[in-house]
Amino acid sequence: MTHKDSSDIQAPVLPEARRLGVLISGRGSNLQAIIDAVAYERLRASIALVISNRPEAPGLARAARAGIETACLDHRRFGSRQAFDRALVTELRKRSVRLVCLAGFMRLLSVEFLDAFPHAILNIHPSLLPAFPGVDAQRQALEHGVKITGATVHLVSEALDSGPIILQAAVPVQDDDTPETLSGRILVEEHRIYPEAIQMVLDGGWRIVGRRFVRFAAEDSVERSRF
Ligand code: GAR
């Protein structure tokens, strides 16, 4: 299934089913933002599992410190992308994960993986997509000379850093910015909007219209679901 198929208004995910799987490759600061948002009940969900494709990812220790189950699936040990993705799906399904959050997970996912979690995979990217997809988005923005960049949370589709946009935040570029200073200010926004976007998706009352993630007011969605 792809995003093109979704015309139905999504129902809210029941509280007990709000189980997140977070996929990381490195530092895990966005994972930490999700952990904190859950702890302070700004995000009404639980983190069922954190998976890293890199054994040395510092984010694994963050999860362990928070008492969250972790798994490491080293992609280099799998014969193909499909085999790796199948193993990911198996681990996530074993914990009844409802929503998959990519948080600095630097692997492209196969169609098989996307089909296993229709409309239920989110990604965060450090630019105002569709500008500057791929690696080093902050450096790309600086080198291009844009005056405003930012962060994007989107539903994941087949192409790299694409899919319906859920939330964005703008960050002005300063003349004396380096990739590091700019990344730091974007990261503040990433940590703010990622938990918020996850909550919006779990709360339902939205649907995909063309490329757009469109929300409806509560009474509006009740009204529309009658037809
Ligand atoms: C974040 O800036 C995230 O937006 C980016 O990787 C970083 C991971 O940091 N993701 C991408 O570039 C995806 N294309 P973190 O491990 O501290 O969350």
Side-chain angles (χ1 to χ4, degrees):
M1 190 194 285
T2 67
H3 297 295
K4 292 185 278 299
D5 303 322
S6 158
S7 54
D8 296 338
I9 296 177
Q10 302 286 311
V13 177
L14 293 173
E16 61 274 18
R18 296 181 166 209
R19 295 171 61 80
L20 310 179
V22 184
L23 272 49
I24 62 168
S25 296
R27 179 178 57 182
S29 73
N30 277 289
L31 163 66
Q32 189 68 57
I34 298 168
I35 292 172
D36 294 346
V38 169
Y40 290 100
E41 296 177 14
R42 278 183 284 115
L43 173 55
R44 291 177 299 282
S46 63
I47 305 174
L49 180 66
V50 171
I51 305 180
S52 173
N53 66 312
R54 296 195 171 275
E56 71 282 6
L60 284 171
R62 293 179 189 268
R65 269 199 301 277
I68 298 164
E69 188 182 357
T70 61
C72 179
L73 296 183
D74 188 338
H75 61 278
R76 293 164 296 194
R77 292 175 178 268
F78 290 82
S80 65
R81 186 180 300 282
Q82 281 69 23
F84 173 66
D85 283 7
R86 269 198 298 275
L88 287 177
V89 170
T90 301
E91 294 301 322
L92 294 164
R93 285 211 170 128
K94 258 194 237 166
R95 279 85 174 181
S96 305
V97 163
R98 178 66 176 71
L99 194 67
V100 179
C101 304
L102 310 184
F105 183 67
M106 298 307 195
R107 302 282 306 162
L108 263 181
L109 293 168
S110 60
V111 176
E112 288 79 4
F113 188 97
L114 301 187
D115 284 348
F117 294 95
H119 310 302
I121 310 171
L122 271 57
N123 182 42
I124 181 131
H125 184 76
S127 75
L128 292 176
L129 288 172
F132 315 125
V135 294
D136 267 341
Q138 305 92 331
R139 184 182 295 277
Q140 291 185 55
L142 267 184
E143 285 175 358
H144 194 93
V146 294
K147 299 298 184 196
I148 296 175
T149 183
T152 301
V153 182
H154 62 95
L155 287 168
V156 173
S157 61
E158 285 150 49
L160 176 70
D161 295 323
S162 81
I165 291 169
I166 300 166
L167 272 180
Q168 291 187 304
V171 174
V173 180
Q174 294 168 3
D175 287 345
D176 58 353
D177 260 332
T178 62
E180 291 71 32
T181 58
L182 183 56
S183 299
R185 292 204 311 287
I186 294 174
L187 209 52
V188 172
E189 295 303 312
E190 292 187 43
H191 296 166
R192 183 175 66 78
I193 65 172
Y194 207 1
E196 192 181 333
I198 295 168
Q199 187 68 61
M200 279 167 57
V201 169
L202 292 172
D203 284 346
W206 53 271
R207 67 173 169 163
I208 304 301
V209 182
R211 286 197 51 86
R212 299 171 61 216
F213 174 95
V214 180
R215 293 171 85 195
F216 297 94
E219 61 279 13
D220 200 13
S221 53
V222 170
E223 195 56 37
R224 279 162 199 261
S225 64
R226 294 208 183 108
F227 298 99

PDB file of all heavy atoms in Angstrom, residues 100-113:
ATOM      1  N   VAL A 100       6.113   3.321  13.821  1.00  0.00           N
ATOM      2  CA  VAL A 100       7.571   3.245  13.740  1.00  0.00           C
ATOM      3  C   VAL A 100       8.116   4.669  13.558  1.00  0.00           C
ATOM      4  O   VAL A 100       7.682   5.393  12.661  1.00  0.00           O
ATOM      5  CB  VAL A 100       8.014   2.368  12.544  1.00  0.00           C
ATOM      6  CG1 VAL A 100       9.538   2.317  12.450  1.00  0.00           C
ATOM      7  CG2 VAL A 100       7.423   0.965  12.665  1.00  0.00           C
ATOM      8  N   CYS A 101       9.061   5.065  14.418  1.00  0.00           N
ATOM      9  CA  CYS A 101       9.635   6.405  14.338  1.00  0.00           C
ATOM     10  C   CYS A 101      11.108   6.283  13.958  1.00  0.00           C
ATOM     11  O   CYS A 101      11.896   5.711  14.722  1.00  0.00           O
ATOM     12  CB  CYS A 101       9.526   7.117  15.682  1.00  0.00           C
ATOM     13  SG  CYS A 101       7.835   7.204  16.287  1.00  0.00           S
ATOM     14  N   LEU A 102      11.454   6.821  12.799  1.00  0.00           N
ATOM     15  CA  LEU A 102      12.860   6.834  12.395  1.00  0.00           C
ATOM     16  C   LEU A 102      13.488   8.078  13.029  1.00  0.00           C
ATOM     17  O   LEU A 102      13.009   9.199  12.823  1.00  0.00           O
ATOM     18  CB  LEU A 102      12.989   6.895  10.872  1.00  0.00           C
ATOM     19  CG  LEU A 102      12.168   5.864  10.075  1.00  0.00           C
ATOM     20  CD1 LEU A 102      12.471   5.992   8.586  1.00  0.00           C
ATOM     21  CD2 LEU A 102      12.428   4.453  10.557  1.00  0.00           C
ATOM     22  N   ALA A 103      14.536   7.869  13.800  1.00  0.00           N
ATOM     23  CA  ALA A 103      15.153   8.983  14.521  1.00  0.00           C
ATOM     24  C   ALA A 103      16.655   8.943  14.243  1.00  0.00           C
ATOM     25  O   ALA A 103      17.419   8.347  14.989  1.00  0.00           O
ATOM     26  CB  ALA A 103      14.857   8.875  16.014  1.00  0.00           C
ATOM     27  N   GLY A 104      17.034   9.532  13.094  1.00  0.00           N
ATOM     28  CA  GLY A 104      18.429   9.451  12.683  1.00  0.00           C
ATOM     29  C   GLY A 104      18.780   8.040  12.228  1.00  0.00           C
ATOM     30  O   GLY A 104      19.908   7.585  12.433  1.00  0.00           O
ATOM     31  N   PHE A 105      17.814   7.360  11.622  1.00  0.00           N
ATOM     32  CA  PHE A 105      18.042   5.995  11.107  1.00  0.00           C
ATOM     33  C   PHE A 105      18.481   6.147   9.658  1.00  0.00           C
ATOM     34  O   PHE A 105      17.696   6.562   8.812  1.00  0.00           O
ATOM     35  CB  PHE A 105      16.758   5.178  11.214  1.00  0.00           C
ATOM     36  CG  PHE A 105      16.907   3.737  10.774  1.00  0.00           C
ATOM     37  CD1 PHE A 105      17.691   2.855  11.508  1.00  0.00           C
ATOM     38  CD2 PHE A 105      16.251   3.263   9.653  1.00  0.00           C
ATOM     39  CE1 PHE A 105      17.822   1.523  11.125  1.00  0.00           C
ATOM     40  CE2 PHE A 105      16.367   1.934   9.265  1.00  0.00           C
ATOM     41  CZ  PHE A 105      17.157   1.069  10.000  1.00  0.00           C
ATOM     42  N   MET A 106      19.752   5.840   9.384  1.00  0.00           N
ATOM     43  CA  MET A 106      20.332   6.178   8.086  1.00  0.00           C
ATOM     44  C   MET A 106      20.307   4.997   7.119  1.00  0.00           C
ATOM     45  O   MET A 106      21.343   4.645   6.536  1.00  0.00           O
ATOM     46  CB  MET A 106      21.753   6.711   8.287  1.00  0.00           C
ATOM     47  CG  MET A 106      21.782   7.990   9.106  1.00  0.00           C
ATOM     48  SD  MET A 106      20.674   9.256   8.429  1.00  0.00           S
ATOM     49  CE  MET A 106      21.256  10.720   9.271  1.00  0.00           C
ATOM     50  N   ARG A 107      19.145   4.372   6.979  1.00  0.00           N
ATOM     51  CA  ARG A 107      18.977   3.277   6.015  1.00  0.00           C
ATOM     52  C   ARG A 107      17.693   3.525   5.236  1.00  0.00           C
ATOM     53  O   ARG A 107      16.691   3.942   5.812  1.00  0.00           O
ATOM     54  CB  ARG A 107      18.822   1.922   6.729  1.00  0.00           C
ATOM     55  CG  ARG A 107      19.943   1.533   7.628  1.00  0.00           C
ATOM     56  CD  ARG A 107      21.142   1.018   6.884  1.00  0.00           C
ATOM     57  NE  ARG A 107      20.827  -0.059   5.976  1.00  0.00           N
ATOM     58  CZ  ARG A 107      21.636  -0.432   4.977  1.00  0.00           C
ATOM     59  NH1 ARG A 107      22.774   0.200   4.767  1.00  0.00           N
ATOM     60  NH2 ARG A 107      21.316  -1.435   4.190  1.00  0.00           N
ATOM     61  N   LEU A 108      17.747   3.260   3.926  1.00  0.00           N
ATOM     62  CA  LEU A 108      16.518   3.322   3.128  1.00  0.00           C
ATOM     63  C   LEU A 108      15.704   2.077   3.418  1.00  0.00           C
ATOM     64  O   LEU A 108      16.256   0.985   3.540  1.00  0.00           O
ATOM     65  CB  LEU A 108      16.879   3.342   1.647  1.00  0.00           C
ATOM     66  CG  LEU A 108      16.945   4.684   0.952  1.00  0.00           C
ATOM     67  CD1 LEU A 108      17.286   4.485  -0.509  1.00  0.00           C
ATOM     68  CD2 LEU A 108      15.633   5.449   1.096  1.00  0.00           C
ATOM     69  N   LEU A 109      14.396   2.228   3.510  1.00  0.00           N
ATOM     70  CA  LEU A 109      13.550   1.070   3.806  1.00  0.00           C
ATOM     71  C   LEU A 109      12.925   0.536   2.515  1.00  0.00           C
ATOM     72  O   LEU A 109      12.573   1.306   1.614  1.00  0.00           O
ATOM     73  CB  LEU A 109      12.456   1.468   4.801  1.00  0.00           C
ATOM     74  CG  LEU A 109      12.988   1.818   6.197  1.00  0.00           C
ATOM     75  CD1 LEU A 109      11.903   2.480   7.034  1.00  0.00           C
ATOM     76  CD2 LEU A 109      13.532   0.574   6.904  1.00  0.00           C
ATOM     77  N   SER A 110      12.749  -0.779   2.457  1.00  0.00           N
ATOM     78  CA  SER A 110      12.175  -1.413   1.266  1.00  0.00           C
ATOM     79  C   SER A 110      10.654  -1.245   1.259  1.00  0.00           C
ATOM     80  O   SER A 110      10.036  -0.944   2.288  1.00  0.00           O
ATOM     81  CB  SER A 110      12.516  -2.897   1.260  1.00  0.00           C
ATOM     82  OG  SER A 110      11.986  -3.489   2.423  1.00  0.00           O
ATOM     83  N   VAL A 111      10.068  -1.508   0.107  1.00  0.00           N
ATOM     84  CA  VAL A 111       8.608  -1.451  -0.018  1.00  0.00           C
ATOM     85  C   VAL A 111       7.963  -2.447   0.944  1.00  0.00           C
ATOM     86  O   VAL A 111       6.907  -2.173   1.525  1.00  0.00           O
ATOM     87  CB  VAL A 111       8.191  -1.765  -1.474  1.00  0.00           C
ATOM     88  CG1 VAL A 111       6.677  -1.813  -1.613  1.00  0.00           C
ATOM     89  CG2 VAL A 111       8.770  -0.736  -2.413  1.00  0.00           C
ATOM     90  N   GLU A 112       8.605  -3.603   1.127  1.00  0.00           N
ATOM     91  CA  GLU A 112       8.055  -4.617   2.049  1.00  0.00           C
ATOM     92  C   GLU A 112       7.909  -4.034   3.462  1.00  0.00           C
ATOM     93  O   GLU A 112       6.907  -4.260   4.128  1.00  0.00           O
ATOM     94  CB  GLU A 112       8.965  -5.858   2.118  1.00  0.00           C
ATOM     95  CG  GLU A 112       8.943  -6.728   0.878  1.00  0.00           C
ATOM     96  CD  GLU A 112       9.793  -6.169  -0.267  1.00  0.00           C
ATOM     97  OE1 GLU A 112      10.479  -5.130  -0.074  1.00  0.00           O
ATOM     98  OE2 GLU A 112       9.763  -6.746  -1.355  1.00  0.00           O
ATOM     99  N   PHE A 113       8.922  -3.290   3.884  1.00  0.00           N
ATOM    100  CA  PHE A 113       8.838  -2.690   5.226  1.00  0.00           C
ATOM    101  C   PHE A 113       7.705  -1.658   5.267  1.00  0.00           C
ATOM    102  O   PHE A 113       6.898  -1.632   6.197  1.00  0.00           O
ATOM    103  CB  PHE A 113      10.172  -2.032   5.615  1.00  0.00           C
ATOM    104  CG  PHE A 113      10.203  -1.578   7.040  1.00  0.00           C
ATOM    105  CD1 PHE A 113      10.773  -2.379   8.022  1.00  0.00           C
ATOM    106  CD2 PHE A 113       9.632  -0.365   7.423  1.00  0.00           C
ATOM    107  CE1 PHE A 113      10.776  -1.973   9.362  1.00  0.00           C
ATOM    108  CE2 PHE A 113       9.637   0.035   8.749  1.00  0.00           C
ATOM    109  CZ  PHE A 113      10.215  -0.766   9.719  1.00  0.00           C
TER     110      PHE A 113
END
